[in-house]
Amino acid sequence: MYFMRKKKIPNIRFPEFTDEWEEKPLSDFFIQSKLKNKELEFDKTEVLSVTAEKGLVNQIEYHGRSYAGVSVAPYGIIRKGEMVYTKSPLKKYPYGIIKLNDY
């Protein structure tokens, strides 16, 4: 039995591109930071959350409270100009959310 597979070609594209789309993992493009807040450079009032609408926001300013744990020492540190990826529990963002930290 023969099955035709659907080609991965966008409806609109730049003329210099002719090949099909190729799926690649994010790890081919990004390096995951291992930098942690061990030295307590940041405290609970500076914890950021990722939002689809506004990007990175101060948790307390945006949500009205902190959701941080007892210690923020194991929290990751993200510097201004770095990218953040987070999985999304929302059906609207099944592949997650990627935002630039411009906070």
Side-chain angles (χ1 to χ4, degrees):
M1 184 178 282
Y2 175 75
F3 293 99
M4 288 185 61
R5 75 176 177 90
K6 186 176 178 181
K7 288 189 173 190
K8 295 179 182 178
I9 298 176
N11 293 330
I12 300 173
R13 68 180 335 171
F14 295 106
E16 62 270 18
F17 294 98
T18 57
D19 295 336
E20 291 185 41
W21 284 0
E22 190 177 331
E23 290 186 29
K24 293 186 177 186
L26 285 176
S27 61
D28 283 2
F29 305 97
F30 297 102
I31 298 169
Q32 183 176 358
S33 172
K34 304 290 185 199
L35 188 60
K36 299 293 181 188
N37 193 33
K38 293 178 193 173
E39 304 297 321
L40 297 177
E41 180 180 346
F42 301 97
D43 63 29
K44 281 185 166 190
T45 65
E46 299 171 290
V47 173
L48 303 179
S49 289
V50 180
T51 69
E53 305 83 26
K54 297 186 181 237
L56 274 79
V57 294
N58 178 286
Q59 214 174 60
I60 295 172
E61 292 172 12
Y62 188 76
H63 296 291
R65 63 168 284 217
S66 172
Y67 292 92
V70 175
S71 172
V72 292
Y75 282 43
I77 292 178
I78 174 119
R79 303 283 184 210
K80 187 171 184 169
E82 294 180 334
M83 301 294 291
V84 175
Y85 166 78
T86 185
K87 293 179 183 177
S88 173
L90 307 173
K91 287 183 181 178
K92 188 174 180 180
Y93 304 100
Y95 300 107
I97 299 168
I98 298 175
K99 294 291 179 178
L100 175 68
N101 180 16
D102 58 1
Y103 185 81

